[in-house]
């Protein structure tokens, strides 16, 4: 019954994904797949954030930070050579349990690096734990204060990426190897596996969408939405609002970090701009344009806007475009961002144009 | 043993003593009304009991458990539910979903089970839905089930809030002015409903300005004035209590 209605759009998405791949194959435009793959990963960040903001009612201006934690850790661990530390007890222990890989470097030297699976798990766990640790105190804040606190977190991560030699300072990390998910299935930017990687990325999107759709239709999802609707009453219904806010914050951070890991292996590197505040603003803008409490809206806007951005359509105005989008949303949906209600949005838009006065902009 | 016992409860807002050394007890199964002029501290008293406000001093025992200092969600899980003077519904959700939140503490599917949509959560989810429909039906608002609550009339919203509180299957129900804004027919309906709920074994503490309703349905009445309890008695005694009459007449004049 309901399940069919819930999953039908997922099947449609799958059909569109396959359709696009087939079309690019026959029109010899497979180069589009590269940007579509990247857009898919960024959309995983966006839909996670969408559930946090649109359903949980909590804003985050720091999600690029979680993306970067995932990407940078996976990149650094799988790239930095541990050969000089081979004698160290910890390193040999890791080696013995198979968490390290020996290989030949670009110039023939011996390389000893962390196995990508292990690195991925470490990176995502770290992001989740950091989200858990800062989420406790931060999520007690509301509205603007929460926005400021998460913004602060994002800036800290950005500065760390920029300042530490381990993370490559302004250059970031490059020559990150591929990530073999299964034998023969590797996340990498190599030309031959372009189609495969397109499907890996979209596979991740589809799994993420299904998980989030299930969540928002579940008992816990209902409780999350009730927090957004009236936190005091949610509490009075026995909902441990603080705990649920923390859960969804951690979940969205984990999604962002996972996307960061995959993008880094796909691109073969990561730079500090991925951790930048402008990236966080971009994610928030996309969720806002998508209609806040709307996973499909966020996903579609995430794909379209990221694709255009990656194709260079916005040229050097790239960041500005997302800023303008955010301003427009704020202006015409003032309750947007922190507290949106589609019915009211339409009403306030109408009254704005009818009366030409901004007086209806209630708190 | 008393179901609810309030001992010397105090709450100040700056220089204002909103609740001043209030004590009373409630036996299982009774309907008790709290009356008093505007600003007497009735809602503040409810907020203290439900855990929305901390008390400055005093104790609250619910089912022999000391509940002051506990969080509202913890108190709710002990079996206390409430409605609000200014209705607090979950906007952006339908009437049915609002009431389904009332079943939150009576169900248990967790985060991971929900995300994976595990089959064992399905019967539970169906139960939540069916039970919630029953409560909407009891309040006569089943027709609004799929309507987003901001689009409903005031009376319907009151009904949904009431249904949501009942859906938790509370032992103690706090009703803050359940008849406010309702016409005389709806008020009479609410009165009948409250009596019916009591018959099902739920204890009710209610704040209400409609005196005929209060006199009709309550077993005992507590009168507050400027945060102080000035009387506690049977309804017909309260009607003759000189101080109560003076407070009310003074309020009118
Ligand atoms: N959060 C608060 N901060 C400051 N003062 C408050 C607060 N809540 C209530 N008060 C004050 O405490 C007093 C008691 O308020 P309360 O709402 O409990 O009265 P009430 O008996 O419920 O009145 P009414 O019949 O109008 O609902 C009032 O003077 C009110 O202004
Ligand atoms: Mg009141």
């Amino acid at each position: 019954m309901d399940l069919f209605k819930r999953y039908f759009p997922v099947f449609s998405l799958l059909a569109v994904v396959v359709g696009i791949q087939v079309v690019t194959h026959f029109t010899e435009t497979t180069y589009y797949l590269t940007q579509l793959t990247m857009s898919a990963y960024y959309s995983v960040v966006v839909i996670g954030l969408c559930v946090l903001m649109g359903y949980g009612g909590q804003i985050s201006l720091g999600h690029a930070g979680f993306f970067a934690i995932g990407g940078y850790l996976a990149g650094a661990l799988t790239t930095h050579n541990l050969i000089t530390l081979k004698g160290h007890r910890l390193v040999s222990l890791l080696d013995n349990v198979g968490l390290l890989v020996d290989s030949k470097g670009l110039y023939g030297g011996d390389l000893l690096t962390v196995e990508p699976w292990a690195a991925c798990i470490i990176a995502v766990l770290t992001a989740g734990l950091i989200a858990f640790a800062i989420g406790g105190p931060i999520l007690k804040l509301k509205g603007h204060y929460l926005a400021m606190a998460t913004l602060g977190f994002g800036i800290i991560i950005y500065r760390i990426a920029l300042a530490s030699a381990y993370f490559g300072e302004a250059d970031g990390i490059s020559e990150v190897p591929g990530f073999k998910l299964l034998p023969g299935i590797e996340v990498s930017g190599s030309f031959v596996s372009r189609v495969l990687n397109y499907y890996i990325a979209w596979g991740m999107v589809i799994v993420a969408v299904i998980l989030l759709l299930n969540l928002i239709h579940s008992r816990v999802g209902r409780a999350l939405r009730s927090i957004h609707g009236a936190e005091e009453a949610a509490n009075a219904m026995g909902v441990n609002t603080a705990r649920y806010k923390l859960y969804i914050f951690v979940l969205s951070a984990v999604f962002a970090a996972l996307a960061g890991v995959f993008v880094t292996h796909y691109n073969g590197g990561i730079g500090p701009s991925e951790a930048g505040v402008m990236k966080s603003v971009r994610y928030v803008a996309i969720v806002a344009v998508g209609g806040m409490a709307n996973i499909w809206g966020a996903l579609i806007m995430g794909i379209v806007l990221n694709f255009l951005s990656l194709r260079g359509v916005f040229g050097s105005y790239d960041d500005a475009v997302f800023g303008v989008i955010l301003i427009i949303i704020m202006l015409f949906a003032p309750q947007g961002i922190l507290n949106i209600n589609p019915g009211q949005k339409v009403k306030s838009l109408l009254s704005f144009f009818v009366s030409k006065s901004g007086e209806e902009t209630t708190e | 043993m008393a179901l609810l016992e309030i001992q010397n409860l105090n709450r100040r807002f700056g220089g204002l003593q909103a609740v001043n050394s209030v004590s009373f007890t409630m036996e299982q199964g009774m309907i008790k009304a709290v009356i008093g002029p505007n600003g007497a501290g009735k809602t503040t008293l409810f907020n203290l009991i439900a855990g929305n406000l901390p008390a400055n001093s005093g104790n609250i025992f619910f089912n022999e458990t000391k509940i002051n200092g506990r969080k509202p969600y913890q108190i709710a899980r002990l079996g206390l539910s409430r409605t609000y003077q200014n209705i607090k519904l979950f906007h952006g959700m339908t009437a049915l979903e609002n009431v389904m939140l009332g079943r939150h503490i009576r169900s248990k599917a967790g985060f991971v089970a929900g995300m994976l949509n595990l089959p064992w959560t399905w019967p539970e989810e169906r139960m939540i839905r069916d039970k919630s429909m029953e409560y909407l039906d009891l309040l006569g608002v089943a027709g609004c089930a799929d309507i987003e609550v901001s689009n409903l009339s005031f009376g319907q919203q009151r009904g949904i809030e009431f249904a949501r509180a009942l859906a938790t299957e509370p032992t103690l129900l706090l009703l803050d002015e359940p008849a406010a804004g309702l016409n005389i027919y709806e008020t009479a309906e609410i009165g009948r409903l409250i009596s019916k709920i009591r018959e099902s074994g739920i204890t009710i503490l209610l704040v209400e300005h409609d005196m005929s309703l209060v006199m009709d349905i309550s077993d005992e009445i507590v009168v507050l004035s400027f945060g102080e309890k000035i009387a506690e008695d049977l309804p017909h005694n309260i009607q003759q209590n000189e101080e109560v009459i003076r407070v009310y007449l003074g309020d009118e004049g």
Side-chain angles (χ1 to χ4, degrees):
Chain A
M1 31 140 238
D2 278 354
L3 280 185
F4 179 74
K5 235 170 79 186
R6 188 188 306 172
Y7 297 133
F8 181 71
V10 178
F11 290 120
S12 316
L13 173 64
L14 192 61
V16 171
V17 167
V18 174
I20 288 176
Q21 191 265 315
V22 170
V23 169
T24 58
H25 178 80
F26 286 110
T27 56
E28 291 180 11
T29 50
T30 46
Y31 48 87
Y32 283 128
L33 294 186
T34 302
Q35 286 96 30
L36 285 171
T37 303
M38 299 279 294
S39 305
Y41 286 130
Y42 287 127
S43 299
V44 171
V45 186
V46 170
I47 55 177
L49 188 62
C50 166
V51 173
L52 176 69
M53 286 173 57
Y55 294 90
Q58 312 300 310
I59 193 172
S60 169
L61 279 171
H63 262 52
F66 293 117
F67 181 94
I69 291 173
Y72 265 103
L73 277 181
L77 290 171
T78 56
T79 310
H80 288 312
N81 198 349
L82 300 173
I83 201 90
T84 52
L85 298 170
K86 199 157 186 177
H88 195 282
R89 214 187 284 136
L90 184 67
V91 172
S92 53
L93 178 75
L94 288 177
D95 203 4
N96 289 340
V97 290
L99 293 181
L100 300 183
V101 279
D102 289 286
S103 58
K104 287 278 175 229
L106 220 47
Y107 309 107
D110 282 326
L111 266 180
L112 183 65
T113 52
V114 178
E115 210 287 319
W117 262 114
C120 172
I121 290 168
I122 292 170
V124 172
L125 268 183
T126 305
L129 285 175
I130 291 176
F132 188 80
I134 67 166
I138 270 189
L139 291 168
K140 292 207 177 84
L141 305 173
K142 292 199 188 341
H144 305 82
Y145 300 99
L146 179 61
M148 302 285 258
T150 50
L151 182 65
F153 163 76
I155 292 172
I156 290 169
I157 298 297
Y158 177 64
R159 300 308 309 186
I160 291 175
L162 209 54
S164 68
Y166 184 68
F167 294 128
E169 295 168 348
D171 299 330
I173 298 172
S174 50
E175 280 161 45
V176 176
F179 178 1
K180 249 195 207 73
L181 297 171
L182 293 167
I185 300 184
E186 186 178 49
V187 180
S188 79
S190 86
F191 179 74
V192 287
S193 61
R194 192 185 252 162
V195 171
L196 174 66
N197 268 274
Y198 169 81
Y199 281 111
I200 293 174
W202 281 96
M204 188 198 262
V205 170
I206 286 171
V207 170
V209 165
I210 291 174
L211 292 180
L212 292 178
L213 284 176
N214 284 341
L215 182 69
I216 61 175
H217 287 98
S218 74
R219 168 176 175 270
V220 170
R222 238 185 344 262
L224 273 171
R225 290 159 61 205
S226 78
I227 298 175
H228 193 179
E231 189 164 346
E232 188 185 333
N235 237 302
M237 289 299 113
V239 177
N240 185 346
T241 53
R243 162 134 30 113
Y244 280 136
K245 284 197 281 188
L246 186 57
Y247 281 171
I248 192 66
F249 186 67
V250 171
L251 182 75
S252 68
V254 162
F255 273 35
L258 203 57
V261 171
F262 277 64
V263 166
T264 302
H265 286 290
Y266 183 65
N267 283 341
I270 183 169
S273 73
E274 289 293 357
V277 167
M278 277 317 299
K279 271 288 161 82
S280 291
V281 170
R282 169 177 303 203
Y283 298 138
V284 170
I286 293 172
V287 172
V289 194
M292 281 301 198
N294 186 343
I295 290 181
W296 288 109
L299 178 62
I300 291 166
M301 293 321 296
I303 297 300
V304 170
L305 291 174
N306 275 310
F307 181 75
L308 294 177
S309 166
L310 290 163
R311 290 295 303 169
V313 173
F314 306 137
S316 49
Y317 296 108
D318 203 40
D319 282 340
V321 167
F322 287 93
V324 168
I325 287 172
L326 202 50
I327 291 173
I328 290 176
I329 294 291
M330 289 287 221
L331 268 181
F332 295 109
Q335 286 143 316
I337 300 310
L338 299 173
N339 170 22
I340 209 160
N341 170 335
Q344 262 166 347
K345 193 164 88 177
V346 173
K347 256 187 260 164
S348 78
L349 253 176
L350 287 178
S351 65
F352 180 86
F353 287 119
V354 171
S355 66
K356 292 270 179 204
S357 82
E359 279 163 27
E360 281 78 6
T361 59
T362 45
E363 235 282 280
Chain B
M1 199 40 78
L3 179 70
L4 181 73
E5 182 157 359
I6 311 254
Q7 298 173 344
N8 283 314
L9 207 58
N10 280 290
R11 173 70 206 197
R12 275 184 309 277
F13 292 117
L16 178 85
Q17 189 76 34
V19 171
N20 192 354
S21 295
V22 170
S23 305
F24 63 87
T25 61
M26 279 186 83
E27 298 304 324
Q28 175 94 45
M30 77 185 315
I31 297 182
K32 191 161 204 148
V34 178
I35 63 169
N38 290 113
K42 306 179 294 291
T43 298
T44 306
L45 177 67
F46 271 25
N47 285 335
L48 293 173
I49 298 173
N52 297 112
L53 277 176
N56 294 120
S57 65
N59 280 320
I60 307 167
F61 291 91
F62 176 51
N63 250 336
E64 290 168 53
T65 312
K66 189 174 147 189
I67 58 167
N68 39 327
R70 296 211 188 187
K71 299 244 160 58
Y73 75 87
Q74 294 169 320
I75 297 173
R77 288 172 191 184
L78 293 174
L80 187 148
S81 194
R82 68 173 298 188
T83 65
Y84 297 88
Q85 184 171 355
N86 46 348
I87 306 170
K88 288 190 164 87
L89 288 177
F90 305 125
H91 292 280
M93 297 172 78
T94 65
L96 179 62
E97 286 173 324
N98 265 266
V99 180
M100 286 168 87
L101 246 298
R103 301 301 298 168
H104 188 80
I105 56 173
R106 302 288 166 207
S107 47
K108 53 177 181 297
F111 205 87
V112 175
M115 221 156 54
L116 299 178
N117 195 16
L118 298 179
W120 69 258
T121 64
W122 300 350
E124 180 182 89
E125 192 69 8
R126 207 172 309 123
M127 273 291 285
I128 294 175
R129 190 171 289 269
D130 294 348
K131 271 275 186 190
S132 304
M133 269 321 278
E134 282 173 28
Y135 286 105
L136 279 175
D137 210 25
L138 181 68
L139 270 292
V141 282
C144 319
D146 295 324
I147 303 175
E148 200 271 316
V149 288
S150 349
N151 299 323
L152 295 174
S153 77
F154 185 79
Q156 290 166 327
Q157 293 195 7
R158 273 226 177 285
I160 288 152
E161 202 194 29
F162 207 130
R164 185 181 70 184
L166 280 178
T168 67
E169 294 179 41
T171 33
L172 176 63
L173 182 59
L174 309 185
L175 302 171
D176 198 346
E177 306 203 13
L182 301 186
N183 64 36
I184 47 169
Y185 304 107
E186 291 167 329
T187 302
E189 194 60 47
I190 280 283
R192 274 194 292 280
L193 182 70
I194 293 172
S195 304
K196 190 162 138 197
I197 291 164
R198 184 258 294 274
E199 265 147 45
S200 75
I202 297 172
T203 312
I204 295 165
L205 183 63
L206 109 140
V207 166
E208 186 49 63
H209 281 297
D210 186 317
M211 279 312 135
S212 61
L213 176 66
V214 168
M215 296 299 161
D216 241 26
I217 62 173
S218 24
D219 302 309
E220 280 177 13
I221 298 178
V222 167
V223 188
L224 290 185
S225 171
F226 294 109
E228 265 178 280
K229 183 176 96 173
I230 58 165
E232 179 175 12
D233 216 329
L234 303 176
H236 68 267
N237 292 341
I238 289 290
Q239 275 172 310
Q240 267 120 55
N241 185 307
E242 305 241 319
E243 188 167 8
V244 174
I245 293 169
R246 195 172 50 75
V247 162
Y248 269 91
L249 290 180
D251 190 45
E252 313 275 279

